[in-house]
Amino acid sequence: MTLHDTEPSQSDDAARAGWLYYVAGLTQDQIARELGVSRQRAQRLVSRAMAEGLIHVRIEHPIAACLELEQALSDRFGLIRARVSPGLGPGADAVRAIAPAAAQELERFLAMPDPLVIALGTGRALRGMVDAMTTMDAPQHSLVSMIGNIAPDGSASFFDVIMRIADKVRAPHYPMPMPVISSTLEEFAAFTALAPIARVRDLAARADVIFVGVGQMGDDAPLLADGFITRAELSALQARGAVGEVAGWVYDASGAYLETPGSTRNGGVPILPRMARPAIGVAAGPSKVAAIRAALGAGILNGIVTDESTARAILAQR
Amino acid sequence: MTLHDTEPSQSDDAARAGWLYYVAGLTQDQIARELGVSRQRAQRLVSRAMAEGLIHVRIEHPIAACLELEQALSDRFGLIRARVSPGLGPGADAVRAIAPAAAQELERFLAMPDPLVIALGTGRALRGMVDAMTTMDAPQHSLVSMIGNIAPDGSASFFDVIMRIADKVRAPHYPMPMPVISSTLEEFAAFTALAPIARVRDLAARADVIFVGVGQMGDDAPLLADGFITRAELSALQARGAVGEVAGWVYDASGAYLETPGSTRNGGVPILPRMARPAIGVAAGPSKVAAIRAALGAGILNGIVTDESTARAILAQR
DNA sequence: TCATTAAGCGATTAAATGCTCAGTCGCTTC
DNA sequence: GAAGCGACTGAGCATTTAATCGCTTAATGA
């Protein structure tokens, strides 16, 4: 699917039906009459509007319990920024819960007047964040990827986050057109020797703001699922105390980066800890608690967007 | 963890229920179990969250037909800005339809870096706009009322718009603490002689951006309903060709301001036509078509937020 | 050209939602 | 202290919405 649906009337109708349903508050029966279609079709249009992410819902009310958790996180880890969304209950997708809040945080930076270099990681959480963003004009900023966009399987899924944001805000964007992990040191050197790539890497290294997801290093670690490391390598890393990973860089419970099989060939730019510029993590879920705690404790991240239960779990261990 | 369990407030629960329903997509049954209340109570909390305006829904899709209308309005009247929302169908409240779009327009200005003086009118449409706004920090701007806040019946409803916006954006705000229409020329002179009031009037006069509603001059004109003019005066104005009113200043079909019984005692500041700064009207509804058309044609307004059917009607008369 | 597959549509049915109506609890007032 | 008032609650019911199924239609590819 292209970013702009080629069939205008299709998703146009869906948007209109969604509008009538969610904003106007009509019943699907009324919508059907309004648009001159069958009731079932109206229902399908409405649910399609929701499925395609045309409908954005935000809640305009700071829930007291979440505010307290934000405060507690900030105090405990000395954060610049903490956002806690209400949880979605067990079993639900945590990304859904934090996406709107994360989008709002990013929009805060995008709304700033002075040009910023905004570096972005990848992953489901960031993808959710982008989908929840509103379109806005922010051409003064630069968007740069912290991570290569050529996956081991050749997929371009890593491309998505930065391209989609750029599309929504019309800002200049710099994906990093090299393998996430080069297969040899020679290949790595060949890519990084290219001036345009060197420039992107340089831009990412001096970003003014960073948004990244946080990966866990359990037995179903994303690094394994995406084919960046083998199961044996994962086991070795676990044995060495790996608890989390940010933009492909693995760290242990103290937040110290570990050498990994691919780290000398990782095209991405690591986040240096304890810097002044905001480095915001977007992550939630029980499996990520240890990873997030370590990243916050070591100052790899100095801001976090998460959900209620994750926040509680992060704070639980004293 | 030192989070003392404060009793979750009423609207806290409502917000949480609304979140679970609209964002998480749980059924009310699941919400009830989650919160440990009866299903009926969950349903009441959800509808309360909606009623209290805690839930903001926006649609992230420019509907083709609306874009065309925006273009047509801009071309026809040489507007800086035109926004057209999908209609809500006959009988529905037009304010509901345009409020989110109007809020987004205002937020565009609020997101700007350089300090702006933003002047605001009153009325239901602006009130809806404010309710649909998200909270944001924009302390660099100044919010000023274009119109006095003391109504003939002493109500403070005119106070609302500017106070509520200021509350949401934390910006300095300047209501105009004098009668909308003073009862005598002496009273008018006494008020305008006061330095603080003169300063507010001056600020409003040199606003960088203006947002106003548009009033119609039919037999149920808001000026009559709010007690600013008598029925006899309304009839006289109608006979003289009055079609609309902006911030209490009445104009005819050519957009020329008319002398009214109160115009020499009107504490508000009229909008001078054909100025460079944005003057955005927020209005929709069949009864307002003539009023909007005249205001746009004469350049009293150079921007409009309206709905589909109103836009069509405005453009219909060639 | 025809078989195969995918997509869309309406009808049916199960689930979820909103509404009304008594009953209850707490509060005020006499 | 009892009656009155009002807001809230839960149950049942009517409406609305979502899921399923069989059918038709369009698209794909040998």
Side-chain angles (χ1 to χ4, degrees):
Chain A
M1 178 178 75
T2 56
L3 284 179
H4 294 291
D5 224 339
T6 45
E7 179 71 272
S9 109
Q10 280 283 17
S11 125
D12 227 56
D13 279 349
R16 186 174 291 270
W19 168 266
L20 290 169
Y21 188 71
Y22 289 103
V23 181
L26 300 191
T27 72
Q28 300 180 351
D29 227 341
Q30 296 172 292
I31 294 170
R33 244 169 292 144
E34 186 78 18
L35 301 181
V37 298
S38 72
R39 203 182 62 69
Q40 296 85 321
R41 179 145 174 71
Q43 134 76 3
R44 281 184 182 111
L45 286 172
V46 169
S47 73
R48 191 223 217 87
M50 183 49 98
E52 289 188 4
L54 268 36
I55 310 293
H56 284 199
V57 181
R58 279 189 190 173
I59 194 150
E60 199 63 42
H61 183 94
I63 297 185
C66 294
L67 287 179
E68 283 177 31
L69 287 166
E70 291 173 4
Q71 194 57 53
L73 283 169
S74 292
D75 292 351
R76 167 83 165 275
F77 297 105
L79 303 182
I80 291 176
R81 189 84 185 159
R83 278 295 301 274
V84 175
S85 287
L88 258 52
D93 180 9
V95 169
R96 295 259 319 259
I98 61 175
Q104 213 164 8
E105 287 303 304
L106 178 55
E107 285 168 24
R108 266 168 39 88
F109 288 104
L110 290 170
M112 290 183 181
D114 300 322
L116 295 173
V117 176
I118 301 176
L120 297 153
T122 58
R124 273 186 359 101
L126 287 207
R127 174 61 191 274
M129 173 179 82
V130 178
D131 288 343
M133 276 182 58
T134 183
T135 57
M136 60 195 293
D137 257 32
Q140 70 271 34
H141 305 305
S142 303
L143 305 169
V144 61
S145 181
M146 301 205 64
I147 192 166
N149 65 23
I150 302 177
D153 61 358
S155 92
S157 75
F158 290 85
F159 216 61
D160 268 22
V161 168
I162 197 151
M163 294 301 279
R164 279 170 182 264
I165 295 190
D167 195 56
K168 283 201 170 181
V169 304
R170 279 169 225 275
H173 50 288
Y174 305 91
M176 199 177 282
M178 68 179 293
V180 177
I181 311 262
S182 303
S183 46
T184 65
L185 273 173
E186 289 69 36
E187 185 183 81
F188 176 82
F191 271 105
T192 51
L194 299 172
I197 290 183
R199 237 175 291 132
V200 171
R201 286 169 51 84
D202 181 54
L203 199 62
R206 58 185 177 78
D208 301 306
V209 189
I210 298 171
F211 277 82
V212 284
V214 175
Q216 42 90 14
M217 292 296 287
D219 291 338
D220 54 346
L223 284 188
L224 174 68
D226 293 337
F228 292 123
I229 58 176
T230 66
R231 183 163 291 281
E233 290 167 344
L234 175 60
S235 300
L237 284 168
Q238 288 172 334
R240 290 165 59 199
V243 300
E245 154 262 325
V246 161
W249 301 87
V250 180
Y251 52 83
D252 64 17
S254 75
Y257 286 120
L258 300 175
E259 286 278 313
T260 65
S263 60
T264 54
R265 290 170 279 124
N266 186 334
V269 173
I271 301 180
L272 301 180
R274 303 200 190 287
M275 304 278 278
R277 47 100 190 89
I280 314 281
V282 180
S287 64
K288 297 191 171 178
V289 171
I292 298 169
R293 187 193 292 125
L296 294 178
I300 295 175
L301 302 176
N302 59 16
I304 184 73
V305 179
T306 190
D307 73 1
E308 213 175 343
S309 61
T310 309
R312 271 187 224 288
I314 291 169
L315 291 163
Q317 196 185 54
R318 56 156 315 273
Chain B
M1 168 164 47
T2 63
L3 306 177
H4 61 288
D5 247 352
T6 50
E7 170 147 347
S9 77
Q10 286 281 25
S11 77
D12 229 55
D13 279 346
R16 185 175 292 268
W19 167 267
L20 290 169
Y21 188 72
Y22 289 103
V23 182
L26 301 190
T27 70
Q28 299 183 350
D29 235 337
Q30 296 172 291
I31 295 170
R33 242 169 294 143
E34 185 79 19
L35 300 181
V37 298
S38 70
R39 193 186 71 74
Q40 295 85 322
R41 178 143 177 72
Q43 131 76 4
R44 282 185 184 109
L45 286 172
V46 169
S47 71
R48 162 111 138 255
M50 184 48 102
E52 289 189 5
L54 267 35
I55 310 294
H56 285 197
V57 181
R58 281 190 189 172
I59 195 149
E60 202 61 42
H61 183 95
I63 297 185
C66 294
L67 287 179
E68 282 175 32
L69 286 167
E70 291 173 3
Q71 195 58 52
L73 283 170
S74 292
D75 292 351
R76 167 83 166 276
F77 297 105
L79 303 182
I80 292 176
R81 190 83 186 161
R83 277 297 299 273
V84 175
S85 287
L88 258 51
D93 180 9
V95 168
R96 295 259 320 260
I98 61 174
Q104 212 162 9
E105 287 302 304
L106 178 55
E107 285 168 24
R108 266 167 40 89
F109 288 104
L110 290 170
M112 290 183 181
D114 300 321
L116 296 173
V117 176
I118 301 176
L120 297 153
T122 59
R124 270 184 5 99
L126 286 206
R127 174 59 189 274
M129 173 179 82
V130 177
D131 288 343
M133 276 182 60
T134 183
T135 58
M136 61 195 294
D137 258 31
Q140 69 272 33
H141 305 304
S142 303
L143 305 169
V144 61
S145 181
M146 301 205 64
I147 192 166
N149 64 22
I150 302 176
D153 62 358
S155 93
S157 75
F158 289 85
F159 216 61
D160 268 23
V161 168
I162 197 150
M163 293 301 277
R164 279 170 182 265
I165 295 189
D167 197 52
K168 284 202 169 179
V169 304
R170 280 170 225 275
H173 49 288
Y174 305 92
M176 199 177 283
M178 68 179 295
V180 178
I181 311 262
S182 303
S183 47
T184 64
L185 273 173
E186 289 69 36
E187 186 183 81
F188 176 82
F191 271 106
T192 52
L194 299 172
I197 290 183
R199 236 175 292 133
V200 171
R201 286 169 50 85
D202 181 54
L203 199 61
R206 59 185 176 78
D208 301 308
V209 189
I210 298 171
F211 277 82
V212 285
V214 176
Q216 42 90 13
M217 293 296 286
D219 290 338
D220 54 346
L223 285 188
L224 173 67
D226 293 336
F228 292 124
I229 58 176
T230 65
R231 182 162 290 283
E233 289 167 345
L234 176 59
S235 300
L237 284 168
Q238 287 172 335
R240 288 166 59 200
V243 300
E245 153 262 324
V246 161
W249 300 88
V250 180
Y251 51 82
D252 65 17
S254 74
Y257 286 120
L258 300 176
E259 287 277 315
T260 64
S263 60
T264 53
R265 289 169 280 125
N266 186 334
V269 174
I271 301 180
L272 300 180
R274 303 199 190 288
M275 303 279 277
R277 47 98 190 90
I280 315 282
V282 179
S287 63
K288 297 191 171 177
V289 171
I292 298 169
R293 186 191 293 127
L296 294 177
I300 294 175
L301 302 176
N302 58 17
I304 185 73
V305 179
T306 190
D307 73 2
E308 212 175 343
S309 61
T310 309
R312 270 186 226 290
I314 292 169
L315 290 163
Q317 197 186 52
R318 57 159 310 276

